């Protein structure tokens, strides 16, 4: 499941921090979490995102990727 995907991402040279609560934990009844990625190779991050976004997740869980966030809220 999800731990297998995280392990595969880590093996590709991507460091994962989180998940952590977002500063604004809930908006419009939806809870928010943050996951930070530290990379040395953009291709590794791209591969990690493809794997993460393609992984099966529980119903109602959405993933949004912001590669250059303006606001950290």
């Amino acid at each position: 499941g999800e731990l297998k995907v995280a392990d595969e991402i880590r093996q590709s040279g991507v460091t994962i921090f989180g998940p952590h609560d977002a500063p604004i934990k809930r908006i419009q009844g939806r809870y928010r979490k943050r996951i930070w990625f530290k990379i040395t190779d953009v291709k590794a991050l791209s591969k990690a995102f493809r794997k993460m976004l393609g992984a099966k997740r529980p119903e109602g869980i959405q993933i949004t990727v912001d590669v250059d966030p303006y606001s950290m809220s």
Side-chain angles (χ1 to χ4, degrees):
E2 56 276 349
L3 291 178
K4 182 179 177 185
V5 172
D7 287 340
E8 290 177 21
I9 290 171
R10 285 184 187 99
Q11 289 174 2
S12 68
V14 176
T15 304
I16 303 171
F17 300 96
H20 302 286
D21 288 334
I24 301 173
K25 296 178 186 179
R26 197 169 157 183
I27 295 178
Q28 296 180 345
R30 304 189 113 185
Y31 291 94
R32 303 168 69 226
K33 297 283 186 182
R34 287 191 176 168
I35 301 173
W36 294 80
F37 299 90
K38 182 177 179 181
I39 63 164
T40 56
D41 177 15
V42 174
K43 288 182 183 179
L45 182 63
S46 177
K47 181 179 177 182
F49 279 162
R50 281 194 303 275
K51 185 167 290 290
M52 181 181 62
L53 294 172
K56 186 176 179 179
R57 53 190 173 270
E59 187 175 326
I61 300 295
Q62 293 180 325
I63 297 175
T64 303
V65 176
D66 188 349
V67 296
D68 190 18
Y70 175 74
S71 170
M72 301 306 288
S73 59

